[in-house]
Amino acid sequence: MSAVSPLHTHSAPHETRLAALRAELARRGLDGFLVPRADEHQGEYVPARAERLAWLTGFTGSAGNAVVLRELAAVFVDGRYTLQVATQVDGGLFARIHSADQAPSDWIAANLPAGAKLGYDPWLHTPNEVEKLKAAAEKAKGHLVAVEGNPLDAVWADQPAPPATPALPHDIAHAGVASADKRRQIASELAKAGEDAAALTLPESIAWLLNIRGTDVPHTPLPLSFAIVNADASVSLFIDPAKLGEATRRHLGNEVSVAAPGDFLPALAALGTAGKIVRADPATAPVAVFEQLQRSGAKLVRAADPCLLPKACKNPVELQGSREAHRRDGAAVTRFLAWLSREAPKGKVDELTASDRLEAFRAETGLLRDLSFDTISGSGPNGAIVHYRATEATNRLMQPGELYLVDSGAQYLDGTTDITRTIAIGQPSAEMRDRFTRVLKGHIAIATTRFPKGTTGSQLDALARLSLWQGGLDYDHGTGHGVGSYLSVHEGPQRISKAGNTIALQPGMIVSNEPGYYKTGAYGIRIENLVAVTDAAEVPGGERPMMGFETLTLAPIDRALIDTTLLMPEERAWMDGYHVRVRETLTPLLDEETRAWLEDATRPL
C-alpha cells in the first residue's frame, strides 16, 4: 500500500483554477480536457511538476482522473480513495465518482455534447487508454483530439520545474548482474523476436537495465529518463545530461550513448525512417511514442516492455539483499511495536508521533535511504481509510479499545520493504478479534499455498478472501502487488488480485500478502508481509512440480487480536512457527528491553 499527501482545505483556488482552464480550452477551440494523475512515464510517483490533478481538484491520491467539460466536471477514483475524495474535492465543482460505478469513458459517452472536441495530452495517456476514450467520444458523437502543449500547464503559473537530481551507479554488490549482461539478455530477446529495438519509457526499467538510481520522484529511487535498447545491446539514454557526473558516465560505458529527453522523439523518427522494427508497450508507454513511430514509417510491434519480467524475477544477490533488508527493517519495526506497547496506553501517542517514531527507528539503522511510501498511520476510524495519511487536520490520539493500523516501508540499497501491522490499543472487542482472525486466516492461506507452474496471482486471490466471504465480508483492494529491488514498492507485471492477470508467478518474484477488512467510521485491519516466489519442496505423492512462497517480512503479529477458536491446528502451527522465526532472527539485533517484549509478543498461542 502507499499513502497520500496533505489535504487542500480551501476550495476557492480550485474554482479559480477550473475557470482558468476552461478559458484556455475555449481559446484553443476545445470543449473539454482530460486530466489524469500521470506523467510522461506513467509512474505511480510523479514529480511535483506533474501533480496536475491535485493542482486542479485538490485530490492528492496516487490514482485518479478528471474530465472537464464546458458546463460539467468530474473526478474519478477507485475504492481506496472514496472517503478521501469526499474530504478533498469540492462537490460543487466536480462530481465525485467511484470508477467501479462509472468509468470515465462511460461518463464521457453520457455527457460529452454531440460535435464537441475533447482534448488530451498524448504524453499522459497510453494507447490502451486512448482507445477506450476515443470510443466513448465517438459514442457521444464527439471527437477526441490530441493537443500539443498541455493547456493546464499554460494556466498553472507557478508550476514547478522538472527535477534535476543526479543519477548514480547502483553497485553490482546490490544489483547482482552487470548492466552489460542485462543489455545482452534483452538484446537477445529482441533479436529472437525479429525486432531491431525497443522504446523504454518506464524509468524503473531503465534504472534496472543500466544499474542506475536517482531521486527525481518521492520514495522511489528513479532518475526520470527514456531509452532505446537495440538488438546489438547498445542503448541510447535520454536524460538531462546535467544529471550525469563523471562516475556515472564511466559506469554507463561506451555502449550507452546519452542525449537530452527532447531528442527522444527525433530518435524514434530516425528508427522509423530507417524502416526498423520497433517494440513499444501499449500498457505503459505514452501514445506520443506510438504516433511518432507510425508517422515515421517504423514497423511497430505492440508488446510488453522487455525489462518487466526479468526485473520482476530477482536474482540470488537481490533475494539475499531483500532478506538482509527485511531483517534490519523487522528489528526497527519491532523496536517501534515495543515502544508503542509502552507508550500508547498512556493516552499521549497520536498518529503523527507514531509514524515519526517508526521512521526514526529505521533511520537508526544508518542505512535508510528513504521511506518506500508515505506511512499510513491510522487509529480508530482513520484506519478504515485504506490509503489514509495523517495530517495536522486529521491527526488523532490513540484511545483504549481502538485498533491502530500502520502500513509502512523503507528503501535500502539492498532491498525495498513494505509491512502492515494492526495493533489493539487496550482491550479489543469480540468483533475486532473475529475480523482480525479472518484476515489472518487469509494471510496464512497465501503464505502456505502450493501452486503449479503457470499459476497467476488472480487464481490465488480467493484464498485470501475465503474466511472473510464465509462471514459475509470482503475488502476492496488487491491482495498483493509486486515489489522491486531498491526500486518501486509497487512493481508489475505480477499481482494477486480479483482483477484478471495473465502473468504467471515465477521464482524470484516478490509480492505482498496483504488481505484486510475495513469498517467505515470504526476501524481498519490489514496484515501485510512480503513473500518471494520459490520452487517449493516436492509434495509427497504429487505428480507435478509445485511452487510456493518464502515469507521475507519479520515482525510480530498482535496475539491479542487472534481468536484461536477460529484457527485450524495447521494455522496455529504456522503462526507459532512464524513467531519462533521472528524471535530467533531478530533477538540478536535488539536492545534488552525490546528483547524481553519480543519474547512475550511471540510466545506460542
Side-chain angles (χ1 to χ4, degrees):
M1 288 282 155
S2 50
V4 297
S5 307
L7 312 185
H8 289 275
T9 49
H10 305 293
S11 59
H14 298 113
E15 201 171 344
T16 312
R17 291 166 188 187
L18 183 59
L21 177 59
R22 282 181 166 141
E24 178 65 16
L25 296 178
R27 196 181 69 74
R28 296 189 186 201
L30 294 169
D31 302 289
F33 189 63
L34 296 156
V35 184
R37 202 284 184 168
D39 67 357
E40 299 86 339
H41 308 280
Q42 310 300 316
E44 178 185 3
Y45 287 104
V46 301
R49 176 180 186 76
E51 291 282 11
R52 297 177 180 92
L53 185 63
W55 179 83
L56 180 68
T57 68
F59 173 68
T60 61
S62 67
N65 288 279
V67 185
V68 176
L69 302 179
R70 288 192 170 185
E71 303 295 332
L72 300 172
V75 174
F76 301 84
V77 298
D78 62 36
R80 296 170 296 173
Y81 292 123
T82 46
L83 296 175
Q84 185 185 332
V85 78
T87 62
Q88 290 187 323
V89 176
D90 183 342
L93 298 176
F94 297 89
R96 300 175 296 217
I97 300 172
H98 188 320
S99 49
D101 297 335
Q102 190 178 33
S105 50
D106 297 332
W107 189 88
I108 290 164
N111 291 290
L112 187 69
K117 289 182 180 169
L118 178 63
Y120 74 97
D121 182 337
W123 281 103
L124 304 183
H125 298 268
T126 65
N128 288 358
E129 292 165 351
V130 169
E131 277 161 31
K132 276 189 209 148
L133 295 164
K134 188 166 188 262
E138 285 168 1
K139 195 171 172 188
K141 300 192 167 42
H143 313 279
L144 189 69
V145 183
V147 300
E148 204 164 318
N150 191 306
L152 189 146
D153 294 355
V155 297
W156 185 355
D158 54 355
Q159 186 178 25
T165 67
L168 301 168
H170 186 52
D171 198 290
I172 187 85
H174 302 304
V177 175
S179 171
D181 294 332
K182 292 179 182 180
R183 295 198 302 267
R184 279 195 289 274
Q185 178 190 355
I186 300 301
S188 88
E189 191 193 316
L190 295 176
K192 206 160 40 196
E195 296 160 10
D196 298 304
L200 303 182
T201 61
L202 291 177
E204 48 265 66
S205 288
I206 298 162
W208 172 84
L209 180 66
L210 300 179
N211 287 345
I212 55 175
R213 299 292 189 268
T215 53
D216 279 348
V217 298
H219 305 314
T220 306
L222 297 177
L224 296 181
S225 54
F226 301 103
I228 296 168
V229 56
N230 301 299
D232 65 359
S234 68
V235 170
S236 304
L237 174 64
F238 301 90
I239 188 169
D240 178 353
K243 292 181 183 180
L244 302 180
E246 202 44 55
T248 307
R249 285 180 184 271
R250 256 200 321 277
H251 161 81
L252 291 171
N254 299 334
E255 289 184 349
V256 179
S257 64
V258 175
D263 295 326
F264 181 49
L265 285 187
L268 294 177
L271 290 173
T273 306
K276 299 290 189 190
I277 302 167
V278 185
R279 180 193 300 207
D281 187 343
T284 63
V287 79
V289 165
F290 292 80
E291 287 170 351
Q292 181 75 323
L293 287 167
Q294 279 163 326
R295 262 199 311 269
S296 60
K299 295 181 183 72
L300 184 57
V301 177
R302 290 169 173 246
D305 175 331
C307 299
L308 288 183
L309 258 185
K311 171 166 61 69
C313 299
K314 311 295 180 279
N315 63 54
V317 170
E318 288 173 319
L319 284 171
Q320 190 51 35
S322 186
R323 293 183 193 106
E324 299 286 345
H326 279 92
R327 271 201 283 274
R328 176 190 316 126
D329 200 62
V333 170
T334 300
R335 290 179 66 201
F336 166 75
L337 294 173
W339 169 85
L340 190 71
S341 74
R342 293 191 301 270
E343 298 302 321
K346 297 176 187 172
K348 299 218 169 105
V349 178
D350 60 36
E351 295 164 340
L352 289 173
T353 304
S355 59
D356 289 348
R357 196 75 194 87
L358 176 52
E359 184 173 355
F361 281 125
R362 285 189 163 115
E364 282 170 28
T365 64
L367 295 170
L368 179 69
R369 310 296 296 199
D370 194 354
L371 299 180
S372 54
F373 54 92
D374 291 320
T375 298
I376 298 168
S377 174
S379 74
N382 289 343
I385 304 170
V386 175
H387 272 204
Y388 173 70
R389 183 179 171 198
T391 67
E392 295 296 347
T394 64
N395 188 28
R396 62 191 300 279
L397 281 170
M398 294 176 202
Q399 313 281 354
E402 290 185 342
L403 296 186
Y404 169 61
L405 185 154
V406 59
D407 183 350
S408 68
Q411 292 284 9
Y412 304 101
L413 287 174
D414 51 1
T416 300
T417 71
D418 183 0
I419 172 175
T420 308
R421 290 295 181 263
T422 306
I423 297 110
I425 308 298
Q427 194 58 40
S429 68
E431 181 192 275
M432 289 170 176
R433 295 178 73 225
D434 173 88
R435 305 300 192 252
F436 183 89
T437 309
R438 289 176 188 278
V439 171
L440 177 63
K441 285 169 76 74
H443 181 93
I444 294 170
I446 294 291
T448 56
T449 188
R450 294 281 176 266
F451 50 93
K453 188 177 177 179
T455 300
T456 68
S458 42
Q459 290 171 293
L460 300 182
D461 183 76
L463 297 174
R465 299 178 192 268
L466 183 59
S467 183
L468 286 161
W469 287 350
Q470 286 166 337
L473 312 165
D474 202 3
Y475 53 95
D476 275 347
H477 57 74
T479 300
H481 54 83
V483 177
S485 181
Y486 189 46
L487 274 174
S488 176
V489 77
H490 289 164
E491 176 179 270
Q494 77 281 16
R495 65 174 184 271
I496 303 174
S497 159
K498 281 182 187 178
N501 183 341
T502 58
I503 303 299
L505 295 167
Q506 296 178 31
M509 286 180 170
I510 295 176
V511 286
S512 65
N513 171 10
E514 53 175 311
Y517 168 76
Y518 309 90
K519 185 173 184 176
T520 302
Y523 58 86
I525 293 164
R526 191 158 60 248
I527 304 169
E528 177 185 21
N529 287 342
L530 299 190
V531 296
V533 182
T534 61
D535 287 313
E538 278 183 37
V539 178
E543 297 175 359
R544 296 187 181 193
M546 305 296 274
M547 297 191 293
F549 292 120
E550 170 196 350
T551 295
L552 299 169
T553 305
L554 295 167
I557 290 168
D558 192 352
R559 293 169 75 267
L561 281 165
I562 300 173
D563 179 350
T564 52
T565 64
L566 290 176
L567 294 183
M568 307 283 280
E570 57 271 29
E571 292 170 330
R572 291 178 69 142
W574 181 89
M575 194 63 254
D576 286 342
Y578 176 70
H579 271 162
V580 167
R581 194 177 146 222
V582 167
R583 185 170 65 244
E584 289 178 351
T585 309
L586 300 185
T587 294
L589 306 176
L590 299 170
D591 57 275
E592 206 160 320
E593 191 177 16
T594 307
R595 275 182 209 167
W597 177 86
L598 181 62
E599 183 77 34
D600 182 60
T602 56
R603 68 186 191 279
L605 292 175

